[in-house]
Amino acid sequence: MNQLLLPLLLIIVVAIPLVLGSRKQKRAAAEQQNLQSSLSEGDRVMTTSGLYGTVANTSDETTIDIEIAPGVVTTWLRQAVREKVAPPVDEVEEIDADDEETTTVTAVDETPVEEKSGAQIAPPLEHGKK
């Protein structure tokens, strides 16, 4: 009996994570399949390569057209779509609790470009002087 206990415990320790891992992979694959089949025109998506765009055409079963810039439409495999993303938000609305007024605030970064990049701009070279 003791001789069978150790191999049985070893099999259980190895088998349980394998079963749980395969169930998790199947669930993730099913979610990805549902996402790819539910794409419609106008959806904002991100591809597996990190490219953001808007779905322009979904008429083909295997490919999808994504508009990456105004007037620039590219064709991708449906499997290349990683996720749907929310459209970018430019303005944030704040509600003042005192007078129930809605104020629109637009975030503006006033940091000079030189400070953002950390690069220093060299003074212009003077030509013709030695």
Side-chain angles (χ1 to χ4, degrees):
M1 180 73 178
N2 287 339
Q3 292 176 344
L4 295 176
L5 187 61
L6 183 63
L8 184 63
L9 285 175
L10 214 61
I11 290 173
I12 290 174
V13 167
V14 170
I16 290 176
L18 285 175
V19 169
L20 294 176
S22 67
R23 289 180 63 204
K24 185 177 179 181
Q25 283 181 333
K26 285 180 184 178
R27 186 173 46 247
E31 287 176 7
Q32 189 68 18
Q33 183 67 31
N34 288 339
L35 166 75
Q36 291 168 358
S37 63
S38 70
L39 291 174
S40 61
E41 293 181 18
D43 289 342
R44 289 267 306 153
V45 294
M46 181 178 71
T47 64
T48 54
S49 61
L51 182 78
Y52 288 88
T54 305
V55 177
N57 186 2
T58 59
S59 61
D60 193 9
E61 291 182 15
T62 58
T63 61
I64 189 169
D65 289 341
I66 299 176
E67 184 177 19
I68 56 175
V72 180
V73 178
T74 57
T75 302
W76 294 76
L77 287 173
R78 282 185 182 262
Q79 288 82 7
V81 175
R82 177 182 294 165
E83 63 185 271
K84 285 185 185 180
V85 293
V89 177
D90 292 335
E91 295 182 348
V92 178
E93 290 188 4
E94 293 182 1
I95 299 176
D96 190 6
D98 295 337
D99 54 3
E100 296 297 323
E101 213 175 272
T102 302
T103 307
T104 302
V105 178
T106 304
V108 177
D109 188 9
E110 296 180 3
T111 308
V113 176
E114 297 85 25
E115 291 179 18
K116 285 183 186 177
S117 64
Q120 295 184 6
I121 298 176
L125 297 175
E126 295 182 17
H127 295 288
K129 291 187 179 180
K130 289 187 181 183

